[in-house]
């Protein structure tokens, strides 16, 4: 039987993830100890925190290993305990020794998941430069990763544990552009520099997510602050709506992550 606290959640995948979080909350309540979740998307972190904060006697906090992290682990603990200062997270700098340069986020993610590590055990992957990236992983998977991740896209690789992710490594390009409306297809077209009909096709093909939820309606309105991801293209943040042009069109600031 589905927990009544999840009645308002319609998506079955969301319910499954949050059901596991509720199981952890019950465990924390019974054991009176701190328990930790797998890595969650920002959407699921927010949803889980809302539910747990409504449960008497429990507190919740989260961390992804660095301040700007997107994917995070929840810590769920009794009210009488202090918020944990450390999380079961390790960070590695993966450096390519030889092979093709200009490796992408997809190259690192594909190589790691090719080892059999599921996405829930991985946090953010931050590409540092053409030949290295910071990879955040659950502590329980760290030894396995170090022993088995020897190549990234056929290039020999080595790992070194580091303390944190430097915010200067997060590579993005900001652009101020003009759109007739805040429709999703227009924002996607501008953000990823593709034709509008291509953007519409990607959206209808369920390749686009807004705030980590799949959206298949090109005419959906997008709000400032939203994160838009597109399979094969990356991510664009809708930073702000600056104002109107002289012709009455919307001026928006978009940030595309590389």
């Amino acid at each position: 039987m589905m927990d009544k606290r999840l009645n308002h959640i319609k998506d079955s995948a969301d319910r499954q993830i949050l059901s596991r979080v509720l199981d952890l909350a019950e465990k924390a309540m019974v054991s009176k100890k701190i328990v930790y979740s797998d890595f969650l998307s920002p959407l699921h972190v927010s949803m889980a925190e809302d539910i747990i904060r409504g449960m008497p006697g429990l507190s919740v906090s989260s961390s992804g290993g660095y301040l700007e992290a997107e994917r995070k682990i929840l810590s769920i603990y009794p009210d009488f305990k202090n918020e944990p200062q450390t999380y079961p997270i390790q960070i590695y700098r993966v450096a390519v020794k030889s092979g093709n340069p200009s490796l992408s986020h997809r190259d690192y993610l594909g190589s790691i998941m090719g080892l059999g590590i599921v996405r829930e055990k991985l946090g953010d992957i931050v590409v540092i430069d053409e030949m290295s990236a910071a990879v955040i992983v659950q502590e329980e998977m760290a030894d396995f990763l170090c022993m088995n991740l020897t190549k990234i896209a056929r290039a020999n690789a080595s790992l070194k544990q580091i303390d944190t992710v430097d915010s200067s490594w997060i590579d993005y390009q900001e652009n101020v552009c003009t759109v007739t409306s805040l429709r999703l297809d227009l924002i996607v077209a501008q953000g990823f520099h593709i034709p509008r009909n291509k953007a519409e096709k990607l959206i209808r093909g369920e390749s686009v997510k807004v705030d980590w939820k799949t959206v298949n309606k090109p005419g959906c309105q997008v709000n400032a602050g939203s994160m838009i991801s597109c399979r094969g293209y990356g991510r664009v943040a809708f930073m702000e709506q600056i104002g109107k042009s002289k012709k009455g069109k919307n001026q928006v600031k978009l940030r595309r992550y590389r």
Side-chain angles (χ1 to χ4, degrees):
M1 181 181 296
M2 186 177 72
D3 193 300
K4 63 181 181 180
R5 286 167 291 200
L6 303 180
N7 285 345
H8 65 290
I9 299 171
K10 305 304 180 184
D11 185 89
S12 60
D14 292 343
R15 285 200 304 270
Q16 187 176 19
I17 291 170
L18 293 169
S19 179
R20 291 198 293 267
V21 172
L22 280 177
D23 289 343
L24 292 173
E26 296 291 345
K27 181 178 179 180
M29 193 175 295
V30 171
S31 68
K32 308 298 182 185
K33 296 179 179 179
I34 301 172
V35 299
Y36 298 94
S37 72
D38 287 333
F39 281 102
L40 302 174
S41 73
L43 172 68
H44 293 132
V45 167
S46 177
M47 295 171 75
E49 287 178 340
D50 286 346
I51 293 173
I52 294 169
R53 285 172 180 149
M55 301 174 68
L58 288 180
S59 293
V60 62
S61 59
S62 62
S63 175
Y66 67 108
L67 185 62
E68 299 91 348
E70 288 187 2
R71 294 177 60 79
K72 295 180 179 181
I73 285 177
L74 293 178
S75 65
I76 307 168
Y77 51 96
D79 281 343
F80 60 81
K81 286 187 174 289
N82 294 324
E83 178 180 340
Q85 298 302 303
T86 60
Y87 283 72
I89 292 172
Q90 290 192 15
I91 308 174
Y92 291 91
R93 182 165 183 160
V94 182
V96 173
K97 296 179 180 179
S98 62
N100 296 324
S102 302
L103 296 172
S104 68
H105 181 279
R106 183 190 297 181
D107 293 318
Y108 290 97
L109 179 60
S111 296
I112 294 169
M113 294 187 69
L115 300 175
I117 298 177
V118 296
R119 192 68 178 96
E120 292 78 14
K121 301 300 180 182
L122 287 173
D124 288 0
I125 297 174
V126 179
V127 177
I128 299 171
D129 52 37
E130 292 184 342
M131 305 293 280
S132 66
V135 174
I136 302 176
V137 65
Q138 277 197 12
E139 193 172 59
E140 65 187 71
M141 300 304 302
D143 288 344
F144 179 84
L145 184 74
C146 290
M147 289 188 293
N148 292 280
L149 187 64
T150 58
K151 290 184 180 294
I152 303 293
R154 299 183 180 179
N156 294 328
S158 61
L159 282 72
K160 179 181 179 181
Q161 189 172 358
I162 57 177
D163 293 329
T164 189
V165 172
D166 191 319
S167 59
S168 67
W169 294 344
I170 303 171
D171 190 13
Y172 60 83
Q173 184 176 28
E174 287 191 343
N175 180 38
V176 175
C177 55
T178 301
V179 290
T180 54
S181 73
L182 302 182
R183 286 172 54 106
L184 179 58
D185 55 352
L186 296 177
I187 299 296
V188 168
Q190 289 287 345
F192 296 109
H193 305 294
I194 58 177
R196 181 177 175 180
N197 62 346
K198 176 66 173 178
E200 182 177 347
K201 183 177 180 180
L202 289 166
I203 296 165
R204 293 193 187 279
E206 299 190 341
S207 293
V208 175
K209 293 183 178 182
V210 179
D211 295 329
W212 297 272
K213 294 284 287 184
T214 299
V215 177
N216 59 12
K217 297 180 180 179
C220 173
Q221 296 292 297
V222 186
N223 297 318
S226 294
M227 178 67 76
I228 301 164
S229 60
C230 183
R231 191 180 305 129
Y233 288 86
R235 298 174 300 135
V236 165
F238 181 0
M239 300 302 293
E240 61 178 312
Q241 183 175 359
I242 298 172
K244 298 283 188 179
S245 69
K246 293 181 179 179
K247 295 183 178 181
K249 295 183 178 181
N250 301 282
Q251 291 181 314
V252 298
K253 180 186 289 186
L254 304 178
R255 174 182 291 179
R256 184 176 183 181
Y257 294 90
R258 299 179 181 179

